[in-house]
PDB file of all heavy atoms in Angstrom:
ATOM      1  N   TYR A  29     100.289 109.288  96.770  1.00  0.00           N
ATOM      2  CA  TYR A  29     100.041 110.357  95.803  1.00  0.00           C
ATOM      3  C   TYR A  29      99.048 111.367  96.355  1.00  0.00           C
ATOM      4  O   TYR A  29      99.254 112.587  96.287  1.00  0.00           O
ATOM      5  CB  TYR A  29      99.515 109.732  94.513  1.00  0.00           C
ATOM      6  CG  TYR A  29      98.894 110.701  93.536  1.00  0.00           C
ATOM      7  CD1 TYR A  29      99.685 111.543  92.779  1.00  0.00           C
ATOM      8  CD2 TYR A  29      97.517 110.750  93.370  1.00  0.00           C
ATOM      9  CE1 TYR A  29      99.124 112.423  91.879  1.00  0.00           C
ATOM     10  CE2 TYR A  29      96.939 111.615  92.466  1.00  0.00           C
ATOM     11  CZ  TYR A  29      97.740 112.456  91.727  1.00  0.00           C
ATOM     12  OH  TYR A  29      97.182 113.323  90.841  1.00  0.00           O
ATOM     13  N   ARG A  33      99.630 115.367  97.025  1.00  0.00           N
ATOM     14  CA  ARG A  33      98.805 116.393  96.366  1.00  0.00           C
ATOM     15  C   ARG A  33      97.949 117.164  97.374  1.00  0.00           C
ATOM     16  O   ARG A  33      97.744 118.363  97.229  1.00  0.00           O
ATOM     17  CB  ARG A  33      97.912 115.740  95.310  1.00  0.00           C
ATOM     18  CG  ARG A  33      98.649 115.353  94.040  1.00  0.00           C
ATOM     19  CD  ARG A  33      98.955 116.574  93.191  1.00  0.00           C
ATOM     20  NE  ARG A  33      99.717 116.206  92.006  1.00  0.00           N
ATOM     21  CZ  ARG A  33     101.004 116.503  91.822  1.00  0.00           C
ATOM     22  NH1 ARG A  33     101.665 117.180  92.734  1.00  0.00           N
ATOM     23  NH2 ARG A  33     101.620 116.134  90.720  1.00  0.00           N
ATOM     24  N   SER A 298      75.470 102.693  62.720  1.00  0.00           N
ATOM     25  CA  SER A 298      76.928 102.732  62.800  1.00  0.00           C
ATOM     26  C   SER A 298      77.426 101.310  62.999  1.00  0.00           C
ATOM     27  O   SER A 298      76.744 100.466  63.562  1.00  0.00           O
ATOM     28  CB  SER A 298      77.375 103.611  63.960  1.00  0.00           C
ATOM     29  OG  SER A 298      76.975 103.039  65.193  1.00  0.00           O
ATOM     30  N   TYR A 377     106.616 104.080  81.602  1.00  0.00           N
ATOM     31  CA  TYR A 377     105.436 104.924  81.448  1.00  0.00           C
ATOM     32  C   TYR A 377     104.760 104.654  80.095  1.00  0.00           C
ATOM     33  O   TYR A 377     105.425 104.550  79.080  1.00  0.00           O
ATOM     34  CB  TYR A 377     105.813 106.399  81.564  1.00  0.00           C
ATOM     35  CG  TYR A 377     104.613 107.307  81.614  1.00  0.00           C
ATOM     36  CD1 TYR A 377     103.654 107.143  82.603  1.00  0.00           C
ATOM     37  CD2 TYR A 377     104.420 108.296  80.663  1.00  0.00           C
ATOM     38  CE1 TYR A 377     102.537 107.953  82.651  1.00  0.00           C
ATOM     39  CE2 TYR A 377     103.303 109.116  80.705  1.00  0.00           C
ATOM     40  CZ  TYR A 377     102.365 108.941  81.701  1.00  0.00           C
ATOM     41  OH  TYR A 377     101.249 109.723  81.736  1.00  0.00           O
TER      42      TYR A 377
ATOM     43  N   ARG C  71      96.615 109.334  71.759  1.00  0.00           N
ATOM     44  CA  ARG C  71      95.945 108.859  72.972  1.00  0.00           C
ATOM     45  C   ARG C  71      94.586 109.494  73.005  1.00  0.00           C
ATOM     46  O   ARG C  71      94.458 110.702  72.827  1.00  0.00           O
ATOM     47  CB  ARG C  71      96.677 109.334  74.222  1.00  0.00           C
ATOM     48  CG  ARG C  71      97.872 108.571  74.592  1.00  0.00           C
ATOM     49  CD  ARG C  71      98.321 109.031  75.960  1.00  0.00           C
ATOM     50  NE  ARG C  71      97.609 108.318  77.012  1.00  0.00           N
ATOM     51  CZ  ARG C  71      97.875 107.077  77.352  1.00  0.00           C
ATOM     52  NH1 ARG C  71      98.818 106.409  76.725  1.00  0.00           N
ATOM     53  NH2 ARG C  71      97.204 106.479  78.318  1.00  0.00           N
ATOM     54  N   GLU C  84      99.400 116.392  85.280  1.00  0.00           N
ATOM     55  CA  GLU C  84     100.165 115.491  86.125  1.00  0.00           C
ATOM     56  C   GLU C  84     101.526 115.204  85.500  1.00  0.00           C
ATOM     57  O   GLU C  84     102.533 115.110  86.197  1.00  0.00           O
ATOM     58  CB  GLU C  84      99.367 114.201  86.325  1.00  0.00           C
ATOM     59  CG  GLU C  84      99.684 113.420  87.578  1.00  0.00           C
ATOM     60  CD  GLU C  84      99.514 114.250  88.822  1.00  0.00           C
ATOM     61  OE1 GLU C  84      98.369 114.495  89.267  1.00  0.00           O
ATOM     62  OE2 GLU C  84     100.552 114.664  89.359  1.00  0.00           O
ATOM     63  N   GLU C  85     101.554 115.058  84.174  1.00  0.00           N
ATOM     64  CA  GLU C  85     102.811 114.733  83.494  1.00  0.00           C
ATOM     65  C   GLU C  85     103.765 115.917  83.461  1.00  0.00           C
ATOM     66  O   GLU C  85     104.985 115.745  83.509  1.00  0.00           O
ATOM     67  CB  GLU C  85     102.529 114.284  82.055  1.00  0.00           C
ATOM     68  CG  GLU C  85     101.867 112.925  81.955  1.00  0.00           C
ATOM     69  CD  GLU C  85     101.451 112.569  80.532  1.00  0.00           C
ATOM     70  OE1 GLU C  85     101.391 113.478  79.674  1.00  0.00           O
ATOM     71  OE2 GLU C  85     101.183 111.391  80.283  1.00  0.00           O
ATOM     72  N   GLU C 242      73.907 108.222  63.532  1.00  0.00           N
ATOM     73  CA  GLU C 242      73.750 106.918  64.168  1.00  0.00           C
ATOM     74  C   GLU C 242      72.451 106.260  63.755  1.00  0.00           C
ATOM     75  O   GLU C 242      72.366 105.042  63.605  1.00  0.00           O
ATOM     76  CB  GLU C 242      73.829 107.060  65.700  1.00  0.00           C
ATOM     77  CG  GLU C 242      73.446 105.810  66.499  1.00  0.00           C
ATOM     78  CD  GLU C 242      74.405 104.632  66.303  1.00  0.00           C
ATOM     79  OE1 GLU C 242      75.442 104.812  65.667  1.00  0.00           O
ATOM     80  OE2 GLU C 242      74.085 103.523  66.774  1.00  0.00           O
TER      81      GLU C 242
END
Side-chain angles (χ1 to χ4, degrees):
Chain A
Y29 166 75
R33 284 285 177 251
S298 65
Y377 188 58
Chain C
R71 280 189 85 76
E84 205 56 76
E85 289 173 344
E242 170 66 8

